[in-house]
Amino acid sequence: MAGALLAGALLAGCGGGDGKASDPARNGAEPPGKAAPSAEGVTVLLTVPPAYAADQGWQQSLSWMPKKYSSKPPVAVATRTDAVAYVTASEDGYVTRLRQASTGRILFTGRPWQPPASMSDAGKYGYDGDSVELPSVSTAVQDGREYVVTWAHGILGEDALNKGKEVVRLAVYPADASGAAVAPLREIDVPVRTSGPNGNDDEANLRVEDYGTGLQVHWSGPSNGSVAVDPATGTIDACGDSCTKGRGEVRTGKGWLVQDFYGAFLVPGAWTSFDAIPPGASAKKGEVSMDGVYRSAVRGHVFSSWHTPADKILSPLTAVHDAATGKLETSMPCEMKHGGAVTSPNGRFIADGTAAFDLQRLQGTCLSENEQRKQGVFVRSVTDAGTAYGTVGNGLGDTSAAEVDLAAGTGAPKLLPPGTVVPAWALKDTGIFVTPGPAGGLLVSALKHN
């Protein structure tokens, strides 16, 4: 979400941030709010939804970042730990820090870390200018333990004679670590072969994420690649034979889920999407059909789109499946506009773009444009109580914001006041907001839920 809202808007920071001795050129962005007269840990007042207190919480500016870049912003949340991870920079390298969301207390600070040589430093075409890549951070859960994973894309071993090896380097920290100058539990180099920088879409080319089934690295290139990485052991599981049938999407306990070349998604040898066709879909088991398209995954659930007999061009049905078994959990009539899958901290509510579901009541809420709604609402975060926050429009560059109560099931979004910023993540008692800072820097705000 932060990548979509911040592309091209960054940056060099505001007061109190972490940064190198000489920051990159500032871009003169306008402040997102006015100075707070006296608020513990808050220096900039944002316009936020009524459920959040703009002057209660803490903020962190990241002033080290260049004016423009193509990577995922270096911020993530550890939902189980209820914490916020981010990357800062020093003269000795990049530093990973984890703060408790509710108090701002620093849980651990990593020792300075060196990524592989960047693609731009290696002279790779396209990895410069607006497409400079930066280290980023993600989180993952493996066997019940949560990890913070700092990662960077680059080249190892290149010199005048040798081409070197393109990798994504992962630095793994347990989320329950403590202290200063914490060393990574391990560093893992994942071989990749990409086709170019991500541009403004952090899902287009290179992703390091946990979709509810463990840490995974995905990339696009001469051949699309997918690997699962065990942060506890460093073991890498590449999508091998399964991916000869299609693109590897999610590693499950029963194997790789792939989107095949004929329209189905499946875990080879375990199940196919045609074992659980949603009511009203045009697909039939045993027939080849360009139907049942995988869209995304979150918290062990898969979003898919389907045609109906009345509409073979659009996909007016959206369904949710269990990623491990393929079992159909729920579905609804909705031409879903993809926007990135999100979940509430407790896992009850999930959403992708304009489609949202309450998995307890097995009820969906379609927020796409329709006869009454001229624009769709793209969900960016959901609270445990079912309040979904989103942007209004058609995706990138949207400025209007709205909220909708998924627990009520009415599907009626409420437009928020102009200038309202929605949380990138909703945690137990806080909302995490990622915005340009007052002087053009990236500002991370953890604001208390009223």
Side-chain angles (χ1 to χ4, degrees):
M1 173 271 188
L5 296 183
L6 293 170
L10 309 177
L11 116 50
C14 60
D18 297 296
K20 293 185 178 181
S22 57
D23 285 331
R26 298 169 184 262
N27 70 348
E30 290 297 320
K34 58 185 178 180
S38 60
E40 183 178 354
V42 175
T43 59
V44 176
L45 289 178
L46 303 176
T47 301
V48 295
Y52 293 97
D55 61 348
Q56 297 180 36
W58 56 270
Q59 292 178 323
Q60 173 70 50
S61 65
L62 304 179
S63 60
W64 61 272
M65 301 172 66
K67 188 174 180 179
K68 294 184 179 180
Y69 65 96
S70 68
S71 309
K72 174 183 176 289
V75 185
V77 297
T79 303
R80 292 195 178 194
T81 310
D82 196 41
V84 182
Y86 56 88
V87 178
T88 66
S90 71
E91 294 295 342
D92 299 321
Y94 294 95
V95 175
T96 302
R97 184 165 289 154
L98 186 70
R99 285 186 184 266
Q100 189 173 55
S102 58
T103 67
R105 181 172 65 90
I106 296 175
L107 301 178
F108 80 78
T109 299
R111 72 184 184 190
W113 176 73
Q114 296 295 334
S118 70
M119 301 294 282
S120 56
D121 288 347
K124 301 302 180 184
Y125 176 74
Y127 288 94
D128 53 12
D130 293 351
S131 296
V132 171
E133 293 186 319
L134 306 175
S136 192
V137 65
S138 300
T139 60
V141 175
Q142 181 71 38
D143 298 326
R145 192 180 190 188
E146 195 162 33
Y147 297 88
V148 175
V149 183
T150 302
W151 57 276
H153 178 213
I155 295 287
L156 294 179
E158 184 175 55
D159 55 28
L161 181 63
N162 299 295
K163 290 183 177 180
K165 179 172 67 172
E166 185 181 358
V167 301
V168 171
R169 175 169 292 173
L170 313 175
V172 178
Y173 305 85
D176 56 6
S178 62
V182 173
L185 178 66
R186 61 180 33 83
E187 292 186 54
I188 307 162
D189 288 332
V190 178
V192 301
R193 191 181 176 198
T194 61
S195 56
N198 285 339
N200 291 332
D201 183 357
D202 60 24
E203 290 187 310
N205 190 43
L206 185 60
R207 292 169 286 148
V208 179
E209 300 288 348
D210 181 349
Y211 301 101
T213 56
L215 183 66
Q216 297 175 29
V217 180
H218 294 256
W219 64 93
S220 299
S223 60
N224 296 326
S226 308
V227 301
V229 182
D230 188 330
T233 65
T235 303
I236 297 175
D237 176 16
C239 183
D241 292 342
S242 294
C243 281
T244 62
K245 304 178 184 297
R247 180 185 175 93
E249 301 289 359
V250 184
R251 177 68 168 86
T252 76
K254 294 187 177 181
W256 279 93
L257 184 156
V258 300
Q259 176 74 48
D260 73 12
F261 303 115
Y262 302 101
F265 59 93
L266 68 157
V267 174
W271 57 265
T272 79
S273 54
F274 294 117
D275 295 330
I277 300 170
S282 60
K284 295 181 180 179
K285 189 172 182 178
E287 292 185 3
V288 175
S289 170
M290 292 301 294
D291 210 337
V293 177
Y294 168 94
R295 302 303 297 273
S296 61
V298 67
R299 203 75 172 256
H301 305 281
V302 169
F303 286 87
S304 64
S305 294
W306 301 76
H307 300 307
T308 66
D311 197 332
K312 294 286 189 176
I313 299 175
L314 301 177
S315 302
L317 280 176
T318 298
V320 176
H321 305 256
D322 181 278
T325 66
K327 178 184 176 182
L328 178 66
E329 296 179 293
T330 184
S331 64
M332 66 173 169
C334 188
E335 174 69 17
M336 181 183 85
K337 307 299 182 182
H338 177 58
V342 298
T343 178
S344 60
N346 60 11
R348 173 179 169 179
F349 303 94
I350 64 173
D352 182 350
T354 60
F357 291 89
D358 179 344
L359 296 179
Q360 180 175 301
R361 295 189 302 122
L362 297 179
Q363 181 170 341
T365 300
C366 185
L367 299 170
S368 300
E369 59 185 86
N370 55 27
E371 293 180 358
Q372 292 77 37
R373 188 181 303 128
K374 66 179 181 180
Q375 295 190 90
V377 176
F378 289 74
V379 177
R380 306 303 183 187
S381 59
V382 190
T383 70
D384 278 343
T387 302
Y389 294 102
T391 52
V392 179
N394 296 309
L396 297 177
D398 299 334
T399 56
S400 298
E403 66 179 38
V404 59
D405 186 353
L406 301 181
T410 61
K414 176 184 176 182
L415 198 64
L416 294 170
T420 299
V421 181
V422 299
W425 298 277
L427 294 180
K428 293 176 183 177
D429 302 308
T430 57
I432 311 304
F433 299 80
V434 183
T435 60
L442 181 62
L443 184 69
V444 181
S445 305
L447 305 179
K448 292 185 178 180
H449 194 278
N450 293 321

